[in-house]
Amino acid sequence: MKNDIQQVTSNAERLLVAERERYLQLHPCSIKLSKLASQHFLYGVPMHWMNDWGTPVPLFVQQAQGVHFTCADGIVYTDFCLGDTGAMFGHSPEPVAKAIAAQASRGFTTMLPSTLAPNVGAALTEQFGLPYWQLATTATDANRFVLRWARAITNRKKLLVFDGCYHGTVDDTEVDVADGKTINRASLLGQVHDLGLHTVAVPFNDLAAVERELATGEFACLLTEPALTNCGMVLPQEGFIKSLRALTSKYGSLLILDETHTISTARGGWAKANKITPDFLVVGKPIAGGLPAAAYGFSDNMATQMKVAKDNAPAGHSGIGTTLSGNMITLAAMHTTLTEVATGAAYSHMLALAGLLEQHLKASIKTYRLPWGITRLGARLELQFCEKSPTNAQQARDAQNDTIESAIHLFLLNRGVLLTPFHNMMLVCPTTSREDLKKLIQTINACLKELTHD
Ligand SMILES: Cc1ncc(COP(=O)(O)O)c(C=O)c1O
């Protein structure tokens, strides 16, 4: 018989109290830094959400290298969060560190293309397949810019997304569904526009809902990740993305695939691995080894239409662009990451180890008789509190249990293992070793034992 989740939750509540105390004892330097930083940073952190990890005070990092980092108190952690994909190829990959160091004495930013620009374009095409590219500094911006292009090209206003989507802080996408209506996410600060006016969200894996909306002929584009990765992981059902490709073409809407996280699938991302060619493809986070960088690729046809839209617009601000994007140092880091770090060999290692980790985690779940499951997309895995992988965001939400999740995170963190906050996500990087996996599995087993005792 499976363990009773009410009992597990009440064990988690008790465990959390003890783990919070343990965290405070282990981290006097982080406590001190938190007090100092609070004098000048809101919530004591450079970005307010850095305070949302569930630790009593933030964990301050001294240095990070490969799959490990050291906190202010000198404790070494094995990192399965990897900057929520920003460091998916490991912290400070040596070739990238060298490329940045070499470029550092030769200029950071000029507002002109560096001589490396043609090589970066070629490397993006070699890796992701799309023939043309533009750069941005964050995946948020890349998505925002692609939306502008899509609307300019199609002369349509509406955007179709999926319930549970996250594409960065792109206003148009920060919607939820309530009683079948698309509304502003309740948590948004300072949003004065009714986002439901031009954005519609439908359930993932629901082709009928997608077609019903697209058939109105009002949608400039459909923007989605190939698998939802931000509301808990939700994989596409067989043929779903292929059907999205067919439906968007049928109704004159553009298909934008945001591969910022699904870049974990395989070298070149999910679309390339599954032989789907979107109109636009967005990549960000790890493509310059963790330095802020993003890119969007597009087809020949899009390139032609983008030029028409731009050439026909009056001279002046296009609404697309930021001064520091595509700067010299980012180009150097991106080129080295794409050609020397995100290699076939690196992905082979990541995928093989992630497969092994999946097997071990499933065995742990079985040993401790929990009604839980593992969902995996290449090098990315998620422990979900449901037996079957969810097929849409609502199912993923229904499976969430904040208390158990917080207890697992803090228990692991207090024993030198970091998971991704806000869900139980784990990433495997090129330098993750079998020893690192062993540490994770042993610590998870110890945690599950605490959670399931009578
Ligand atoms: C799928 C996806 N797209 C875009 C973004 C935005 O990335 P950034 O915060 O680097 O702009 C995220 C961030 O988590 C993401 O998960």
Side-chain angles (χ1 to χ4, degrees):
M1 220 178 66
K2 293 274 156 74
N3 265 297
D4 170 40
I5 286 305
Q6 266 183 351
Q7 176 66 44
V8 175
T9 309
S10 114
N11 287 347
E13 270 164 15
R14 251 179 293 122
L15 193 58
L16 258 179
V17 175
E19 292 303 323
R20 284 199 184 110
E21 188 52 41
R22 186 182 171 117
Y23 180 93
L24 290 170
Q25 280 169 13
L26 284 172
H27 297 100
C29 294
S30 274
I31 294 173
K32 198 169 156 199
L33 287 168
S34 167
K35 283 190 185 137
L36 283 173
S38 295
Q39 292 173 9
H40 300 291
F41 277 124
L42 190 68
Y43 299 110
V45 279
M47 301 286 287
H48 74 82
W49 50 259
M50 287 179 173
N51 203 28
D52 295 343
W53 277 73
T55 50
V57 297
L59 185 69
F60 285 75
V61 176
Q62 212 175 74
Q63 62 167 49
Q65 174 64 55
V67 67
H68 299 117
F69 72 91
T70 309
C71 77
D73 288 279
I75 301 167
V76 177
Y77 298 79
T78 307
D79 192 357
F80 289 91
C81 166
L82 294 165
D84 194 10
T85 315
M88 192 181 77
F89 301 120
H91 297 289
S92 278
E94 200 182 325
V96 183
K98 279 189 182 155
I100 292 172
Q103 183 61 46
S105 54
R106 292 192 274 134
F108 289 11
T109 196
T110 60
M111 258 178 65
L112 290 165
S114 81
T115 51
L116 206 54
N119 307 46
V120 174
L124 284 163
T125 293
E126 186 278 322
Q127 180 128 177
F128 299 105
L130 277 297
Y132 291 106
W133 293 86
Q134 288 282 274
L135 299 189
T137 295
T138 62
T140 297
D141 270 349
N143 280 313
R144 202 156 56 78
F145 300 156
V146 170
L147 284 182
R148 296 294 283 256
W149 283 116
R151 285 171 165 150
I153 288 171
T154 59
N155 273 316
R156 294 177 179 182
K157 287 184 179 167
K158 280 195 167 179
L159 162 68
L160 190 61
V161 294
F162 289 107
D163 178 30
C165 73
Y166 185 71
H167 299 283
T169 54
V170 179
D171 287 324
D172 299 71
T173 63
E174 293 186 302
V175 294
D176 279 329
V177 179
D179 300 326
K181 207 169 165 267
T182 302
I183 56 164
N184 291 10
R185 244 164 230 177
S187 52
L188 293 183
L189 294 177
Q191 178 53 261
V192 296
H193 301 288
D194 174 4
L195 302 174
L197 217 54
H198 297 306
T199 304
V200 175
V202 293
F204 198 67
N205 280 320
D206 186 343
L207 277 180
V210 170
E211 180 151 26
R212 190 178 62 235
E213 295 300 336
L214 291 181
T216 61
E218 294 176 358
F219 288 83
C221 56
L222 188 168
L223 167 62
T224 186
E225 295 182 86
L228 300 183
T229 65
N230 285 287
C231 58
M233 195 139 69
V234 181
L235 300 182
Q237 286 171 341
E238 188 64 35
F240 179 64
I241 304 292
K242 196 172 170 197
S243 300
L244 296 184
R245 174 65 289 184
L247 286 174
T248 44
S249 298
K250 179 175 172 188
Y251 294 109
S253 304
L254 304 179
L255 177 65
I256 307 168
L257 291 182
D258 177 356
E259 294 247 36
T260 302
H261 278 178
T262 53
I263 193 173
S264 68
T265 310
R267 186 168 190 272
W270 190 97
K272 193 175 179 196
N274 289 275
K275 299 188 173 48
I276 305 279
T277 308
D279 296 300
F280 287 93
L281 181 129
V282 170
V283 282
K285 295 202 180 180
I287 63 164
L291 215 63
Y296 53 100
F298 37 95
S299 61
D300 263 320
N301 180 17
M302 287 305 107
T304 307
Q305 296 195 56
M306 287 156 84
K307 281 186 193 153
V308 171
K310 175 78 183 101
D311 293 348
N312 287 338
H317 294 154
S318 64
I320 296 168
T322 50
T323 314
L324 298 183
S325 299
N327 65 69
M328 297 169 91
I329 206 148
T330 303
L331 286 185
M334 196 184 287
H335 184 252
T336 305
T337 302
L338 294 172
T339 58
E340 296 181 44
V341 177
T343 59
Y347 270 96
S348 294
H349 175 87
M350 290 153 73
L351 268 50
L353 251 67
L356 202 60
L357 181 55
E358 179 181 16
Q359 284 172 24
H360 282 297
L361 289 170
K362 282 182 170 164
S364 302
I365 289 170
K366 200 165 166 199
T367 303
Y368 292 97
R369 295 181 292 110
L370 287 157
W372 297 351
I374 301 294
T375 304
R376 178 161 84 91
L377 192 64
R380 172 185 304 273
L381 301 96
E382 193 158 288
L383 164 67
Q384 292 176 309
F385 302 136
C386 50
E387 282 178 273
K388 272 194 182 165
S389 290
T391 58
N392 59 41
Q394 193 51 50
Q395 287 178 14
R397 282 184 205 112
D398 291 345
Q400 272 164 6
N401 183 314
D402 292 345
T403 310
I404 299 177
E405 189 180 298
S406 303
I408 292 175
H409 278 250
L410 203 50
F411 185 97
L412 266 64
L413 194 152
N414 280 339
R415 286 153 189 83
V417 177
L418 192 77
L419 303 187
T420 310
F422 320 129
H423 42 142
N424 297 311
M425 198 274 281
M426 290 152 262
L427 267 173
V428 172
C429 80
T431 56
T432 307
S433 68
R434 283 173 186 257
E435 274 308 301
D436 297 314
L437 292 198
K438 202 164 145 195
K439 183 172 175 188
L440 169 62
I441 296 296
Q442 281 175 348
T443 318
I444 286 225
N445 283 345
C447 182
L448 297 187
K449 192 170 173 198
E450 290 288 330
L451 289 174
T452 52
H453 73 69
D454 293 330

